[in-house]
Amino acid sequence: YDDKNIGDKSEDEQLPPRVAVPGSGLGRLGWEIFSKGYSVQGSDFSLPMLLASDFVLNGCGIPNMEADTGGGESGSSFRQFGVSPFISETKNTTSFQNRTRSVVVPDVDPTALQHNEDEDGLAAPEFTMMAGEFLSLYSHFLPNHQKSQNDHSHQQPNSPNKFHAVVCSFFLDTAPSLPHYLLTIYHMLEDGGLLLHFGPLMYHWSGHGSLLPGDRDDTSTNDMMNGDNHSISSKYQKRNKHLDERYLSSIDYTWEEFRYMILQCGFEIEEEEMYIPARYTADAKSMMKVVYDCGFLVARKKPMNRK
């Protein structure tokens, strides 16, 4: 997708376009967008991902004193590490050498980008990372949330800096409630802002807590005494009491339903492509690979008065 369409600088604030990258993992996608001159805000819920991304983005750029040039200046090289990600795999391997081969990370210097204010006075872009679940981080953009804050504080609601684009790679199918995620993204965006999606529909919260035949017939005694004829059975509750409640409320949507919700939220779909092959944590030299036929979609937020 032509990134020239993502957004233009604000005439009054002279700031670069802002891009949110939820579920950014190790931060590589956010870093690549930042390298194009955009201000990027990455986020992730996974603590291991956040720790690893912090180490790669910040720790690997520490000056390496061993790379002294001999001229009294410290070396400018960055730290790289060799890892063997396939060493524990014993199945579908063609040779021992393929199992033990190493990969060097990071392959670029994460701190090499130095953006400065340009000739037109456009401020330098920023790259930040946030920790937390998507809705907990961004639900303040929702109108009802802003109204409740205003009623509580008796002040004008905050006008948070909205984004010119939200870029989702292998992210939206991790939502416990896809409609809530899409509505939040809609309100995160400026009018004319873009939602870019790439990934499968694996649905992280799928496959657990399904109702079985008879679950509604064996209602508990207390429910019957209280007149609750619509409650699920105590058998069902005992079988799924160990599960996070999000497993019990998540719905798996088809691609047609997914794109319909995007349209209903107030977006216009500008680009769409299906069946784009993408490997996932796959060893290119293995005899077995996980490959998704992904969907790609670009949708633009319509102005509120056009909904």
Side-chain angles (χ1 to χ4, degrees), residues 174-190:
T174 68
S177 175
L178 184 55
H180 288 161
Y181 272 38
L182 292 176
L183 283 172
T184 302
I185 290 173
Y186 177 84
H187 289 288
M188 289 169 61
L189 289 168
E190 299 275 7

Side-chain angles (χ1 to χ4, degrees), residues 21 57 59 125 131 142 211 246 260:
V21 186
L57 294 172
L142 296 171
L211 286 169
R246 288 171 289 189
Y260 177 77

Side-chain angles (χ1 to χ4, degrees), residues 4 6-10 15-17 164:
K4 294 180 181 178
I6 286 182
D8 202 354
K9 61 185 178 182
S10 171
L15 298 175
H164 298 87

